[in-house]
Amino acid sequence: MKVLVTGGAGYIGSVVVEKLVAANYDVVVFDNLSQGHRAAVHPKAVLVEGDLSDPEVIDETLEKYEPAAVMHFASYTLVGESVEKPFLYLRENVNNAGNLLECMMNHGIHYFILSSTANLFDEPEKMPISEREKIVPGSPYGESKAMIERMLYWLDRYHGFRYAALRYFNAAGATESYGEAHHPECHLIPLVLQVAQGKREKIKIFGDDYNTPDGTCVRDYIHVADLAQAHILALESLVKKGKSCKYNLGNGQGYSVKQVIETARKITGHAIPAEVVARRGGDPDVLVACSDAIRKDLNWKPEFPELEKIIESAWKWHQAHPSGYQNS
Ligand code: UDP
């Protein structure tokens, strides 16, 4: 089966491509390389350099490669940035997904996997958060994913689309070959590891006055390889059962920013100086997933649920790739 992966040169996309190739799928990566890296594209995947704002290029790609399914990762993904620049998210993320879905519809391609987010849930009534929780996005980023999920609802209802919306909590960690390298970096774990590598002086903690045991935000970190596995299971299920689904993906265990830093200190043996600064916009106190539904329906079981293992894998990758994908 052939799968088109938008954003397949990015962090999560590159690991999903690696797993798809290992599971014998044919993979076409569609990426404008604005955030992704050529070196992050698996050598067995075809790379099409293209932009989702251009329906003609999407159309030509679908015409040429005839994928049976699409996995969509290419988007802006930063909560803080989305608060500062809402239209990158509310217009571009949404338009780009609309272009992709419309072209898929024109080509009769109906299987779609959306990289969605825990930021759909700003004020959950119950923690851990289940798929039954009301959607109240926490930022323009979360809102953009909620809007795309709504597009999918209508395409499922009237146009035969079958989709999986996978709502990631905090993707982290690395495989041996592929890891996290954003420019500029703004995610907690890679930043903490950059301090350990001596590339930064200290880590800034965004607020310690949240309603959590140590005052810093609590998140559910999930290994990127476990996320990737969930995508393959979801695709198999769409094809086999023909039924759309939405799943939350996390380990069900929350760690505070301070706990992440402390764990990284142990793993790297570095002091990792930290300083508390002002809150970042759009961050809820606690986000922890209940992933019972995907465990039960698709038999998904995380292989690396422990924070230590997750940070250890990221540390290994950072040491092996001290300049990220540059010069590789
Ligand atoms: N965070 C922080 N300092 C940083 C980067 C992130 O304190 O330099 C916090 C952030 O406020 C959030 C958590 O770490 O509570 C995880 O943030 P990240 O950007 O890694 O992922 P997100 O939760 O935004 O998907």
Side-chain angles (χ1 to χ4, degrees), residues 6 70-75 93 97 100-101 111-117 120 144-152 162-168 231 234 238 245-247 249:
T6 76
V70 174
M71 294 191 180
H72 178 45
F73 298 91
S75 69
N93 272 1
L100 176 62
L101 289 167
Y111 295 124
F112 189 82
I113 299 202
L114 175 68
S115 154
S116 190
T117 175
L120 297 182
S144 72
K145 295 290 180 173
M147 288 159 87
I148 300 168
E149 288 201 12
R150 290 305 297 165
M151 284 187 209
L152 289 168
R162 296 297 172 258
Y163 70 92
L166 301 181
R167 293 139 174 194
Y168 317 153
H231 286 72
L238 289 184
C245 52
K246 299 167 191 169
Y247 292 119
L249 281 170

Side-chain angles (χ1 to χ4, degrees), residues 21-273:
V21 169
N24 288 323
Y25 286 88
D26 291 324
V27 181
V28 179
V29 167
F30 187 95
D31 203 300
N32 65 7
L33 300 180
S34 67
Q35 301 175 65
H37 311 270
R38 196 179 296 279
V41 177
H42 193 286
K44 286 201 175 147
V46 171
L47 170 65
V48 176
E49 270 185 73
D51 200 297
L52 291 172
S53 63
D54 184 349
E56 250 177 60
V57 183
I58 306 173
D59 199 57
E60 282 165 20
T61 306
L62 299 184
E63 183 75 36
K64 180 167 175 191
Y65 294 102
E66 301 182 321
V70 174
M71 294 191 180
H72 178 45
F73 298 91
S75 69
Y76 295 101
T77 58
L78 304 176
V79 167
E81 180 184 61
S82 81
V83 172
E84 304 291 321
K85 299 178 182 167
F87 289 102
L88 274 188
Y89 290 77
L90 299 172
R91 185 175 50 218
E92 296 194 27
N93 272 1
V94 175
N95 268 354
N96 290 349
N99 288 341
L100 176 62
L101 289 167
E102 190 175 15
C103 287
M104 285 176 62
M105 198 163 107
N106 294 339
H107 284 264
I109 302 165
H110 289 155
Y111 295 124
F112 189 82
I113 299 202
L114 175 68
S115 154
S116 190
T117 175
N119 200 258
L120 297 182
F121 309 111
D122 192 34
E123 296 165 353
E125 278 180 9
K126 265 200 183 157
M127 195 65 66
I129 302 168
S130 83
E131 290 76 7
R132 286 182 301 281
E133 186 61 57
K134 206 163 111 210
I135 293 179
V136 180
S139 69
Y141 166 55
E143 186 74 47
S144 72
K145 295 290 180 173
M147 288 159 87
I148 300 168
E149 288 201 12
R150 290 305 297 165
M151 284 187 209
L152 289 168
Y153 167 82
W154 292 108
L155 293 177
D156 172 283
R157 186 156 164 185
Y158 291 119
H159 293 278
F161 269 64
R162 296 297 172 258
Y163 70 92
L166 301 181
R167 293 139 174 194
Y168 317 153
F169 282 58
N170 284 63
T175 64
E176 213 177 300
S177 310
Y178 302 103
E180 193 166 10
H182 300 103
H183 296 290
E185 188 52 76
C186 46
H187 290 290
L188 181 64
I189 292 179
L191 283 175
V192 165
L193 297 179
Q194 287 183 2
V195 179
Q197 285 181 308
K199 289 188 187 162
R200 284 172 197 268
E201 216 180 296
K202 61 189 170 198
I203 183 75
K204 292 182 180 162
I205 299 176
F206 295 147
D208 66 351
D209 56 351
Y210 285 92
N211 187 18
T212 61
D214 68 19
T216 64
C217 288
V218 169
R219 296 287 179 271
D220 183 342
Y221 295 88
I222 169 165
H223 198 289
V224 65
D226 289 330
L227 274 186
Q229 190 54 27
H231 286 72
I232 293 179
L233 293 174
L235 178 58
E236 284 170 3
S237 162
L238 289 184
V239 173
K240 207 153 71 189
K241 298 185 194 151
K243 195 167 168 287
S244 295
C245 52
K246 299 167 191 169
Y247 292 119
N248 292 348
L249 281 170
N251 284 307
Q253 169 86 38
Y255 294 94
S256 72
V257 173
K258 284 187 176 166
Q259 286 175 311
V260 168
I261 298 170
E262 203 41 57
T263 307
R265 285 178 179 137
K266 276 194 209 126
I267 288 166
T268 63
H270 189 279
I272 311 185

Side-chain angles (χ1 to χ4, degrees), residues 296-310:
K296 184 167 153 276
D297 295 354
L298 307 188
N299 218 4
W300 176 72
K301 191 167 179 290
E303 210 179 316
F304 311 102
E306 307 88 1
L307 183 65
E308 288 77 12
K309 287 264 160 61
I310 293 173

